Amino acid sequence: MIVIVLDTNVLRRALEEEKGLKGDEETKLAYEIVTELIKCGNIIFVINADTASEYYRHLEALKKRLKQSRIAPQSFKLLSSILRKMRKVPTENHEFEIEGEAIGRKDCHLLNSAKTGALKSKVENAFVLTFAQDVYRSKKAKNGCGITIYLINLKDEKERKLLEQRIT
């Protein structure tokens, strides 16, 4: 089992690509990566209440944008596929040893989701996927329970290859 947490910027871009809203490199990349992950049978996406609240905020803004652009339907096939593979985990606060630059406090909910998901799934590794370069300058977060969380910046080809190696 492979535990993955999607940062809201990855989810939003993938959904924008599904609806043809942007068409830039990042939205295409987000869509391709998320659809490939959905196809893998051994992957689950995890969220806690904090992550779910962030997702909801971004989805509501995206739906509003679709409505303003008169794009219908305002539902997302990709989101339905993600939800089928999604597991909600309790909101817990964990301590981490960050390799590299520290993570902004507002984004610790992603690490907490990943760690709780890894503990519940009894796996040693979890992945947080993002495009945010300003938030994740570190590469790994570890803790005393033997779990390593890999912070994958999807803009970086080396990091995408690391993800690919780990999930295949």
Side-chain angles (χ1 to χ4, degrees), residues 11-108:
L11 177 65
R12 188 187 74 243
R13 285 184 170 112
L15 296 175
E16 286 172 343
E17 177 65 19
E18 179 183 338
K19 294 298 183 181
L21 287 177
K22 272 197 170 178
D24 64 11
E25 293 285 322
E26 286 181 8
T27 56
K28 289 176 186 174
L29 183 61
Y31 184 80
E32 289 170 9
I33 289 170
V34 171
T35 54
E36 285 301 313
L37 292 172
I38 289 168
K39 292 176 190 174
C40 296
N42 62 340
I43 288 180
I44 60 167
F45 299 105
V46 294
I47 59 168
N48 63 20
D50 295 336
T51 309
S53 141
E54 286 288 311
Y55 281 8
Y56 181 77
R57 247 181 1 92
H58 282 265
L59 285 171
E60 287 302 308
L62 187 53
K63 284 182 180 181
K64 185 177 178 182
R65 202 164 131 212
L66 288 172
K67 191 174 185 179
Q68 289 171 342
S69 301
R70 297 187 177 162
I71 296 174
Q74 292 173 6
S75 59
F76 302 95
K77 290 180 185 175
L78 185 63
L79 185 58
S80 297
S81 299
I82 292 169
L83 290 174
R84 282 193 289 277
K85 296 188 81 140
M86 189 166 283
R87 305 292 178 272
K88 192 162 186 177
V89 295
T91 300
E92 298 173 355
N93 290 317
H94 302 285
E95 295 292 322
F96 299 97
E97 262 181 51
I98 308 286
E99 287 183 17
E101 195 171 319
I103 291 179
R105 196 160 169 72
K106 75 177 189 81
D107 289 304
C108 280

Side-chain angles (χ1 to χ4, degrees), residues 132-147:
Q133 289 179 310
D134 60 329
V135 177
Y136 298 107
R137 292 191 185 114
S138 57
K139 303 294 179 213
K140 289 182 189 175
K142 293 183 178 183
N143 71 347
C145 297
I147 293 173

Side-chain angles (χ1 to χ4, degrees), residues 1 4 7 10 13 20 38 40-41 48 57-58 64 83 88 100 111 119 123-124 126 148 157 161-162:
M1 188 66 55
I4 294 185
D7 193 353
V10 174
R13 285 184 170 112
I38 289 168
C40 296
N48 63 20
R57 247 181 1 92
H58 282 265
K64 185 177 178 182
L83 290 174
K88 192 162 186 177
L111 292 177
L119 288 168
V123 296
E124 293 179 356
T148 301
E157 190 173 341
K161 286 185 181 186
L162 170 71

Side-chain angles (χ1 to χ4, degrees), residues 107-121:
D107 289 304
C108 280
H109 66 92
L110 299 169
L111 292 177
N112 287 325
S113 291
K115 181 179 175 189
T116 304
L119 288 168
K120 296 279 182 200
S121 301

